[in-house]
Amino acid sequence: MSAFLTKSLGVVCPTCDFLNVVAAVRCMSCGNATDGSSAKTDQAPKLVPQPLQVQHEGSDKTVPMAKTPEAPPGLRRSQPAELGNTPAAPSSGRGVPARPTFQSSATPPPQAAPGPKFGLTVMAGPARGQRFRLGATGAQIGRAKGIILFPEDPFVSPLHATLTVRDGRLFLRDENSTSGIYASIAGQETVPAGGLFCTGLRLFRYVGAIEPAPAWNRADVLVYGAPVPNGVVHYSIEEVLLGDRAGRCVITPGPVLTIGQGRCDFSFPSDEGLAPRHCEVAPLPTGAMIRDLSGGLGTFVRITQERALKAGDRIRIGQQTLQVELLS
């Protein structure tokens, strides 16, 4: 190598390949001669750290302290040794530690699935064809109060009924209305004595069983009338006219009484809302069983307490017949 290059370039140690300063005689890393002739002889001996001695009070014994773990051999001098079992920072793949990410330990609350949405469609009456969408909690129906209003219907009370959505179901409650609320029956349903039900444009009251005739004492004076056979139970059903007045009445000992357009115990040929044989009424010890035979026209009973409704059920409020619908 020329003298010019030796004086201008650093010297590479032939032992450890460390690049030393210009004209270095010995390697600054390993201490060997840069010309490879001999090992470093004047290198100061390395100091080996000795464990510290600890002596407890009142004792002659000396206990060595725990030895600090040495850094791994491949660790650079400028990099401090990792302590304990602390995990190394993750790398992004470019030689730069990745930025730590933080995630909340709190689990977000589960999202409740939206409940079903209900609506009402007016199937018959002056407001036929109108549709109403109920709110998430329901709606109120009346002539002057509520969300669904029928201001021109004289049979609707100012606040007539309340519809409530609870636990994904729809419930109907009468708000002490004058004309009442009537709900369609599915197949058959029981009504108590004095209960009201309607078919077509007709309203009926199941009166119940007639009391047996009292024993006749010839000394008593009786009012004229047809005799009631002894030993046979008779029951009565009457038609209710406008203003809660009594209309036609049928008294029969038979097991079943029929209502329809023709050839029935109660026949109304001019009522287009009735089927030829619309319903049957069978007496029971505590009331009567009403069986719907209308083929979809519907038989309705007056509700006296909160009633659960489902899609397809129909209710009568005043002159309006409304059907419950399940909206998408």
Side-chain angles (χ1 to χ4, degrees):
M1 183 179 298
S2 64
F4 175 76
L5 293 176
T6 304
K7 294 180 181 180
S8 301
L9 301 177
V11 180
V12 178
C13 177
T15 304
C16 64
D17 293 335
F18 183 80
L19 179 62
N20 296 275
V21 297
V22 179
V25 179
R26 294 189 177 275
C27 179
M28 299 174 63
S29 177
C30 63
N32 294 330
T34 55
D35 56 0
S37 58
S38 61
K40 182 179 179 181
T41 57
D42 56 348
Q43 183 179 1
K46 295 183 179 181
L47 297 178
V48 179
Q50 300 293 331
L52 298 178
Q53 306 292 329
V54 178
Q55 184 176 1
H56 297 279
E57 295 183 5
S59 175
D60 296 336
K61 296 182 179 180
T62 302
V63 181
M65 292 186 62
K67 190 175 182 180
T68 303
E70 297 181 358
L75 192 66
R76 295 183 180 179
R77 294 182 180 181
S78 60
Q79 180 180 357
E82 296 176 351
L83 300 179
N85 297 325
T86 305
S91 175
S92 61
R94 300 179 181 178
V96 180
R99 179 177 297 178
T101 58
F102 298 93
Q103 184 176 3
S104 175
S105 59
T107 304
Q111 298 293 333
K117 298 179 180 179
F118 297 95
L120 293 176
T121 300
V122 182
M123 306 299 294
R128 180 179 179 180
Q130 293 189 20
R131 302 185 68 182
F132 304 94
R133 186 184 186 94
L134 303 184
T137 58
Q140 289 184 320
I141 304 174
R143 183 159 45 91
K145 300 178 182 179
I147 302 299
I148 302 175
L149 300 178
F150 300 106
E152 305 299 330
D153 194 332
F155 300 101
V156 177
S157 298
L159 178 59
H160 201 102
T162 298
L163 291 162
T164 305
V165 179
R166 187 170 63 249
D167 298 331
R169 302 178 63 189
L170 182 62
F171 297 88
L172 175 64
R173 183 178 69 250
D174 188 355
E175 297 292 350
N176 296 321
S177 62
T178 301
S179 299
I181 303 173
Y182 297 83
S184 61
I185 65 175
Q188 59 186 20
E189 191 165 330
T190 304
V191 295
L196 296 171
F197 64 97
C198 60
T199 59
L201 300 177
R202 310 293 169 174
L203 179 62
F204 302 93
R205 177 184 289 112
Y206 175 72
V207 179
I210 298 177
E211 297 181 0
W216 177 48
N217 188 346
R218 293 182 180 275
D220 296 335
V221 178
L222 297 178
V223 178
Y224 282 116
V228 178
N230 293 326
V232 179
V233 178
H234 288 68
Y235 63 96
S236 172
I237 295 178
E238 65 179 7
E239 183 183 9
V240 181
L241 303 180
L242 183 65
D244 199 22
R245 295 173 295 174
R248 293 171 54 189
C249 180
V250 172
I251 299 176
T252 176
V256 174
L257 184 144
T258 57
I259 300 174
Q261 275 191 338
R263 297 183 179 182
C264 297
D265 297 307
F266 266 120
S267 296
F268 304 93
S270 61
D271 193 336
E272 298 180 354
L274 291 177
R277 189 181 181 92
H278 198 99
C279 67
E280 294 178 348
V281 182
L284 297 173
T286 58
M289 178 69 72
I290 300 178
R291 182 184 178 190
D292 180 37
L293 304 173
S294 63
L297 295 176
T299 301
F300 301 78
V301 297
R302 184 169 183 173
I303 65 173
T304 57
Q305 56 187 357
E306 190 176 60
R307 184 183 181 101
L309 301 177
K310 62 182 183 300
D313 288 348
R314 283 174 289 172
I315 57 176
R316 281 191 174 181
I317 295 179
Q319 295 175 307
Q320 323 298 322
T321 301
L322 303 99
Q323 180 169 302
V324 179
E325 294 182 350
L326 190 61
L327 305 180
S328 56

